[in-house]
Amino acid sequence: MMIYRNAKILLTVSCVLLSLMGCGSVLSSLETTKNIKKDNQGKLQCPTQSEDNCWVRSLQLISQCLPSSINGELTSDRRFCQNRQGLIVHFLNPYDLKPKSDTIEFDVYNREFKCFHIKKQGDNLAITNSPYGDIRLEILDAQTGAMSISCLFGESILINSKTVSENCFLQKAKALQDWPQALFSFKEDTNNRNFLFFMEGLGLGQEPIFNCSEGK
């Protein structure tokens, strides 16, 4: 299948490029609180937080699998979102605009090819079964917002409680388009209700996964 062959080629090229940096466990520039230092006046020197980090790179890479159009319509059984090109999303449970659970799971497709699986449980996120590997975002402390992100190719980001309490990360986060997260956005017009699922944060902007409409 052409899509899968292209994915495997990209995977090989990406791993070769990463091997030049020491393929294996690579820490993103966002990672460590040991980079938080104070200058001679006692002011915090925050680590450099480039938009070129593993959260951005990983999501942009897996998004290459998405179909040319991510706009579709919800089927009457509320389990599928599709358009003329074919299937976009398969919900494991019928999709509910007002869910009783904070967990949602779905598979993302490009026609008949399954790109990846997404499970969002509260603020935690797991993207699995992609040709490149898995991406996971885990909230370590709900009060401080401390989190751990496991990216593709062994890279990781740790935003721990000290980083947050020192206000170091938050000083930069506003300029980097906020916290890493996955969100639903709803829009309603005269004829339809549209729901968009997207990722954002750390300079990613909005990386849309699908945009599905439901007739009233």
Side-chain angles (χ1 to χ4, degrees), residues 33-214:
T33 50
K34 65 186 177 185
N35 289 336
I36 302 177
K37 301 176 181 178
K38 292 185 178 181
D39 61 19
N40 294 334
Q41 285 75 42
K43 293 183 179 180
L44 289 173
Q45 297 283 316
C46 295
T48 302
Q49 298 182 1
S50 167
E51 293 184 8
D52 180 24
N53 58 72
C54 74
W55 168 255
V56 172
R57 289 194 300 272
S58 296
L59 291 175
Q60 288 177 339
L61 183 58
I62 67 168
S63 293
Q64 291 180 15
C65 178
L66 295 176
S68 56
S69 173
I70 61 167
N71 300 316
E73 294 184 2
L74 189 67
T75 56
S76 58
D77 61 3
R78 310 182 69 84
R79 295 184 68 93
F80 301 94
C81 184
Q82 56 193 22
N83 58 24
R84 290 182 179 180
Q85 294 179 353
L87 182 62
I88 303 172
V89 178
H90 171 211
F91 297 100
L92 268 66
N93 295 299
Y95 181 72
D96 189 352
L97 286 172
K98 297 179 180 179
K100 296 178 182 178
S101 169
D102 66 351
T103 300
I104 183 169
E105 288 189 72
F106 54 89
D107 295 317
V108 180
Y109 284 82
N110 187 336
R111 299 182 182 179
E112 75 276 13
F113 179 73
K114 182 177 172 180
C115 294
F116 45 83
H117 176 82
I118 289 181
K119 180 177 181 179
K120 187 176 186 295
Q121 188 169 16
D123 292 326
N124 294 326
L125 175 72
I127 305 174
T128 57
N129 299 333
S130 88
Y132 309 100
D134 301 342
I135 304 168
R136 298 180 187 276
L137 187 157
E138 180 183 1
I139 301 299
L140 303 176
D141 187 325
Q143 290 186 330
T144 65
M147 69 176 65
S148 171
I149 303 174
S150 299
C151 303
L152 301 176
F153 310 117
E155 291 190 273
S156 64
I157 295 174
L158 175 64
I159 303 169
N160 66 26
S161 299
K162 180 180 177 183
T163 312
V164 180
S165 64
E166 294 280 11
N167 202 31
C168 190
F169 177 76
L170 293 177
Q171 290 174 357
K172 300 270 185 172
K174 187 175 182 180
L176 289 170
Q177 298 180 330
D178 304 320
W179 219 254
Q181 56 189 328
L183 296 169
F184 275 100
S185 174
F186 298 95
K187 291 183 180 179
E188 189 169 1
D189 58 30
T190 306
N191 299 312
N192 291 288
R193 288 181 289 190
N194 294 309
F195 50 101
L196 171 69
F197 184 81
F198 62 93
M199 314 288 186
E200 69 176 10
L202 298 182
L204 181 68
Q206 281 193 4
E207 189 71 32
I209 304 301
F210 69 83
N211 183 24
C212 200
S213 65
E214 175 195 30

